[in-house]
């Protein structure tokens, strides 16, 4: 059923993309906002951007989200520790990460994505690169861009040398298979003592040369809320079908009318709030999308109102709590999911 698929997708976003914990004071959040703005300013021209706080994710948000499934939390923590042991890179030491993705049309129906990651925080960029070179045992080349040295690693070789054997765990096995499947080159360079750029050689070159930057139409859509722990913005001039496998129905048609999308995530002790913003070409398209979603919300409520299963009751509450709004050609969605409901869904993950 589409309602359940949509609800499950939202939970997936909450569980996998949440990047922080809203407990710090206003002064600290202002500093974090400035740090995020700095990382975004270092990105080259991009069609999609995102910023998130990795340190707070690992220290606070991840334990909270997975509190109802301690075995899963332990497995993920073990994989992070394993990566640190094998590579010398502790993901938990990065404060924030900014991602910029450029679209590349490779055919009439196929779009490729070229990301670059700017990571900064309590790291020694030079030491990190030294460890990466040591682990690669020579499977890299050096390129010079201005005063910067770029190390281009053959990702497949690095992964095989740094990952452990797949265990019987489904989670650990999935991580290992994903890492072993990497085969492209990855370039790494230090921007300054505490900031590194990671991505394809072309995108890292763009970053270091600094000739292009993210356009204002995207940066202006990033959440300005001090409590936002993760924000993203993306353009889709050809419609959402470039990103999603849309059906040839009314919902698919209306979703494909979206030209710009952005959002943010807030995490608090009571639960997590997701806010989404979508801009279509015309006001009629935005109104049509809202009416379609209103219809799905109505049908879902009727279908799930008498549900007995705990997870179905959660889906029903999600539909009841979802707030939709439309103004001209802009559609907004806000959804707050209590931690108690997240616990019910997370507990079912095996």
């Amino acid at each position: 059923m589409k309602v359940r698929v949509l609800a499950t997708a939202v939970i997936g976003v909450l569980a996998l993309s949440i990047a922080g914990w809203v407990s710090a004071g206003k002064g600290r959040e202002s500093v974090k906002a400035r740090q995020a703005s700095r990382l975004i300013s270092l990105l080259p021209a991009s069609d999609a951007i995102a910023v998130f706080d990795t340190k707070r994710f690992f220290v606070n948000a991840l334990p909270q989200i997975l509190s109802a499934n301690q075995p899963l939390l332990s497995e993920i923590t073990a994989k992070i520790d394993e990566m640190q042991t094998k590579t010398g890179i502790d993901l938990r030491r990065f404060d924030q990460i900014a991602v910029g993705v450029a679209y590349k049309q490779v055919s009439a129906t196929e779009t490729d994505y070229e990301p670059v990651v700017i990571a900064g925080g309590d790291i020694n960029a030079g030491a990190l690169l030294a460890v990466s070179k040591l682990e690669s045992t020579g499977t890299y080349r050096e390129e010079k861009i201005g005063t910067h040295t770029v190390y281009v690693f053959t990702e497949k070789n690095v992964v095989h040398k740094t990952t452990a054997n797949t265990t019987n765990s489904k989670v650990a096995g999935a991580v290992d298979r994903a890492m072993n499947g990497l085969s492209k080159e990855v370039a790494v360079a230090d921007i300054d003592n505490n900031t590194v750029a990671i991505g394809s050689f072309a995108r890292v070159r763009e970053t270091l040369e600094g000739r292009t930057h993210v356009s204002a139409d995207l940066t202006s859509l990033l959440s300005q809320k001090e409590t936002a722990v993760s924000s993203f913005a993306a353009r889709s001039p050809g419609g959402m079908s470039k990103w999603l496998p849309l059906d040839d129905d009314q919902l698919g048609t209306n979703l494909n009318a979206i030209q710009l999308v952005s959002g943010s995530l807030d995490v608090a002790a009571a639960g997590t709030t997701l806010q989404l913003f979508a801009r279509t070409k015309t006001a009629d398209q935005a109104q049509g999308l809202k009416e379609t979603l209103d219809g799905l919300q109505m049908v879902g409520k009727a279908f799930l109102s008498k549900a007995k299963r705990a997870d179905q009751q959660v889906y029903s509450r999600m539909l009841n709590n979802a707030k939709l709004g439309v103004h001209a050609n802009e559609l907004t969605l806000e959804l707050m999911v209590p931690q108690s409901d997240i616990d019910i869904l997370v507990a079912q993950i095996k």
Side-chain angles (χ1 to χ4, degrees):
M1 181 180 179
K2 286 184 178 180
V3 171
R4 180 172 180 177
V5 172
L6 289 172
T8 304
V10 170
I11 283 296
V13 171
L14 298 178
L16 298 178
S17 302
I18 292 167
W21 171 268
V22 187
S23 60
K26 184 174 181 180
R28 180 180 175 185
E29 292 302 329
S30 297
V31 172
K32 291 290 186 182
R34 289 195 296 271
Q35 291 174 341
S37 296
R38 173 182 173 271
L39 295 184
I40 287 292
S41 71
L42 295 173
L43 289 172
S46 302
D47 297 294
I49 56 176
V51 291
F52 55 94
D53 188 323
T54 53
K55 185 172 288 188
R56 289 190 294 171
F57 168 68
F58 287 119
V59 174
N60 298 108
L62 188 63
Q64 175 182 321
I65 294 299
L66 299 182
S67 60
N69 194 329
Q70 289 299 311
L72 179 58
L73 176 60
S74 296
E75 278 195 291
I76 293 176
T77 302
K79 293 304 293 185
I80 298 168
D81 291 338
E82 178 184 305
M83 181 178 294
Q84 180 186 3
T85 300
K86 295 292 185 179
T87 67
I89 300 174
D90 187 355
L91 297 178
R92 291 160 291 198
R93 295 188 63 187
F94 290 102
D95 289 329
Q96 291 190 336
I97 287 178
V99 182
V101 180
Y103 305 157
K104 182 180 180 182
Q105 198 71 35
V106 295
S107 71
T109 58
E110 185 179 2
T111 303
D112 199 3
Y113 305 96
E114 295 188 354
V116 64
V117 176
I118 310 296
D122 183 19
I123 62 169
N124 182 317
L128 184 147
L129 292 177
V131 170
S132 298
K133 290 190 293 180
L134 179 64
E135 288 292 330
S136 72
T137 61
T139 56
Y140 69 92
R141 72 177 190 273
E142 296 184 11
E143 301 280 354
K144 203 73 174 178
I145 299 178
T147 59
H148 298 275
T149 300
V150 182
Y151 301 95
V152 185
F153 298 91
T154 302
E155 204 167 26
K156 182 177 181 180
N157 291 342
V158 174
V159 168
H160 285 318
K161 289 181 175 65
T162 59
T163 55
N165 293 330
T166 300
T167 68
N168 292 327
S169 161
K170 292 181 179 179
V171 174
V175 172
D176 285 339
R177 287 192 298 272
M179 295 180 73
N180 288 334
L182 297 173
S183 60
K184 296 181 180 180
E185 290 185 331
V186 56
V188 183
D190 60 328
I191 297 177
D192 55 40
N193 290 337
N194 303 107
T195 313
V196 298
I198 307 169
S200 68
F201 178 70
R203 291 290 279 166
V204 170
R205 175 191 286 275
E206 286 183 79
T207 301
L208 296 177
E209 289 179 341
R211 296 178 182 177
T212 66
H213 301 281
V214 178
S215 61
D217 65 333
L218 285 185
T219 56
S220 64
L221 291 178
L222 284 178
S223 173
Q224 298 302 311
K225 294 173 56 181
E226 291 186 347
T227 57
V229 295
S230 178
S231 300
F232 63 90
R235 66 167 62 91
S236 184
M240 295 299 289
S241 59
K242 285 182 172 291
W243 296 2
L244 303 172
L246 300 178
D247 293 330
D248 188 18
D249 56 12
Q250 185 175 1
L251 177 60
T253 299
N254 287 330
L255 286 174
N256 202 37
I258 296 175
Q259 302 293 297
L260 286 169
V261 62
S262 66
S264 65
L265 287 162
D266 292 348
V267 182
T272 299
T273 300
L274 170 67
Q275 292 182 317
L276 291 176
F277 165 92
R279 180 180 296 164
T280 59
K281 282 185 177 180
T282 68
D284 288 342
Q285 290 172 332
Q287 184 62 41
L289 179 56
K290 182 179 183 300
E291 291 173 355
T292 301
L293 294 176
D294 283 339
L296 285 174
Q297 190 176 41
M298 190 184 325
V299 172
K301 287 179 181 179
F303 182 79
L304 297 171
S305 60
K306 298 181 180 180
K308 295 182 178 180
R309 277 176 26 195
D311 61 334
Q312 292 177 335
Q313 293 173 1
V314 171
Y315 299 140
S316 178
R317 288 191 289 272
M318 288 173 65
L319 288 170
N320 281 321
N321 293 336
K323 299 177 182 179
L324 291 168
V326 64
H327 177 71
N329 65 329
E330 298 176 349
L331 179 77
T332 58
L333 166 67
E334 182 172 346
L335 175 64
M336 194 281 183
V337 183
Q339 182 60 40
S340 57
D341 282 351
I342 294 176
D343 288 342
I344 292 173
L345 298 180
V346 168
Q348 298 179 3
I349 300 175
K350 303 297 182 182

